[in-house]
Amino acid sequence: MTASDDHSHLTALRGRPWFAANEVLAFVLELLAIGCLAWWGFTVVDGWAASLLLGLGTPAAAVVLWALFAAPRARVRLPLAGVLAVKAVVLGGGAAAVHGTGHPVAAAVLAVVLVVNTGLAEYFRGRV
């Protein structure tokens, strides 16, 4: 990616504030999902070794999965259905992790926000 590519992307966002705001929210939600997976991993089992393995391994696996298939510059280009499936696994896993830590209402709210944000993001990107 060149500097002019970055500049043209920023110029495209300038006239579309809802798109830009939704993209920022999408990034924050992605980070939140990774954090929720770590939180779940560190708290779901007893024993420091298992907690460490799940607390670091689960979010690491999600990051690798995202980077390979769902990121804007993913290594493997999947059709939209495949990208949405990966997003459902990672982002839905984050919501499920919140539920698994004993917060079902927060998990439901997070799941709704994730679905609405992802739907809007794909609509704004023109892929839907």
Side-chain angles (χ1 to χ4, degrees), residues 7-100:
H7 180 67
S8 65
H9 183 67
L10 293 175
T11 303
L13 292 178
R14 197 170 295 144
R16 302 167 67 191
W18 288 108
F19 174 77
N22 199 63
E23 289 295 305
V24 170
L25 179 60
F27 181 67
V28 170
L29 290 171
E30 292 159 14
L31 294 177
L32 179 65
I34 299 301
C36 291
L37 289 169
W39 176 28
W40 171 82
F42 282 121
T43 60
V44 74
V45 295
D46 291 327
W48 68 270
S51 289
L52 191 63
L53 181 64
L54 283 175
L56 297 177
T58 305
V63 167
V64 168
L65 188 65
W66 193 275
L68 287 174
F69 303 109
R73 289 185 266 172
R75 298 256 182 195
V76 179
R77 291 284 180 206
L78 295 177
L80 179 59
V83 172
L84 291 176
V86 171
K87 288 183 176 189
V89 167
V90 174
L91 299 175
V98 172
H99 188 276

